[in-house]
Amino acid sequence: MKSRTVNNGISLLNFDNTLQKQLLLRGYPVEWNDFSDLHGCHGYCSFDSLRKIQHRLKSRKHKRITLIGSGNYHYVTYLLLSEIRQPFSLILFDHHTDLARNDDVPIISCGSWVSIALKTLPLLNRVVIIGANPSNFRRTSDIPNNVTVISEQEVVRSSAAEIVRAIRSDLSDQPLYISVDKDVLDRENAVTNWDQGSMTLRQLLDVIRELKRTHPLEGGDICGELPLSPVDFLSDERVRHLKKNEIANKAIVDLLLAG
């Protein structure tokens, strides 16, 4: 049986120093994992660098919930999924599908990691993407059969209960892994360095809460931090943006760790 510390702790990945100032996260058992010395992994990452990241991740104690940093490193979720040892489904909250074709190029990116996971992780049975802007995927026919997309427009006109009902038939009783890119949220609730969606934080939390009520949670991660330079901390507006992200992160982590 896993220890309580492992279950209730969080791993913070330091690629870009975007999590360093978020003091609300220090209320949990926290484990820092430093990757700031690595090169060639911003947005796009060679498989050689990916193997280095994977090797360092193996030594962490808190594997249930991981905060990755900005959305430029969302491909790290692929490595976190590769650690799962039973059949599962991925619930991805994201304003983008991250289903870009890789075409056997020896890199992974923040825009292609889902398509690579579907090709290479046999235990990943189903992907549900919630909140994606249809303009970020060309045609519905480009969506693989084992992927369900709930578009941003559907999110806007649906309650959390309606969203869960819409995807329930696509999910088996297998565990869920939940990945949240905060660019799915509106700018009242988070500020990222990518184009953002229309989901409210309350709606996001309500969907996660309902999914957790009916399915076991295998793990989860959060990205979508806003990169800030030292000069940005002199700007009241930038500091308010940081606080929004910090509050959203804490609310999501609290819910993922609950129960």
Side-chain angles (χ1 to χ4, degrees), residues 22-46:
Q22 297 197 27
L23 300 181
L24 290 178
L25 299 176
R26 309 298 173 89
Y28 311 96
V30 167
E31 178 181 15
W32 283 96
N33 302 265
D34 188 54
F35 302 93
S36 60
D37 61 309
L38 296 181
H39 301 286
C41 56
H42 183 268
Y44 295 85
C45 183
S46 70

Side-chain angles (χ1 to χ4, degrees), residues 14 16 25 37-38 63 95 121 169 175 220 256:
N14 182 36
D16 51 11
L25 299 176
D37 61 309
L38 296 181
K63 297 188 176 185
H95 200 223
L121 301 180
S169 62
L256 291 176

Side-chain angles (χ1 to χ4, degrees), residues 78-216:
Y78 169 76
L79 297 177
L80 304 178
L81 299 181
S82 71
E83 297 177 339
I84 299 174
R85 295 294 178 261
Q86 61 180 319
F88 70 99
S89 295
L90 167 65
I91 306 294
L92 172 61
F93 294 90
D94 203 313
H95 200 223
H96 311 82
T97 63
D98 295 352
L99 280 168
R101 293 175 57 180
N102 194 52
D103 292 330
D104 298 322
V105 176
I107 56 172
I108 189 171
S109 75
C110 57
S112 68
W113 66 270
V114 175
S115 61
I116 294 174
L118 287 166
K119 290 178 182 177
T120 62
L121 301 180
L123 294 176
L124 174 56
N125 287 334
R126 166 68 58 175
V127 175
V128 176
I129 303 171
I130 300 174
N133 184 342
S135 67
N136 291 321
F137 53 95
R138 288 170 291 181
R139 299 180 302 273
T140 303
S141 58
D142 293 330
I143 305 299
N145 291 333
N146 54 350
V147 175
T148 301
V149 178
I150 304 296
S151 71
E152 178 182 359
Q153 287 77 2
E154 291 174 277
V155 165
V156 168
R157 62 175 180 258
S158 302
S159 67
E162 289 170 334
I163 292 172
V164 172
R165 280 199 298 272
I167 65 176
R168 183 169 286 148
S169 62
D170 294 324
L171 298 175
S172 66
D173 294 331
Q174 295 169 352
L176 304 179
Y177 185 97
I178 295 176
S179 181
V180 178
D181 188 331
K182 290 194 298 297
D183 70 13
V184 77
L185 296 173
D186 62 33
R187 289 178 65 87
E188 292 297 314
N189 290 276
V191 180
T192 77
N193 61 331
W194 291 86
D195 59 283
Q196 288 189 228
S198 309
M199 200 171 203
T200 67
L201 179 60
R202 177 180 291 276
Q203 190 179 28
L204 170 68
L205 296 175
D206 285 345
V207 173
I208 294 175
R209 187 176 294 108
E210 182 64 18
L211 288 171
K212 283 190 63 182
R213 189 181 66 80
T214 56
H215 290 78

Side-chain angles (χ1 to χ4, degrees), residues 66 177 183 217 223 235 246 252:
T66 305
Y177 185 97
D183 70 13
L217 181 67
C223 70
S235 164
E246 184 178 10
I252 298 166

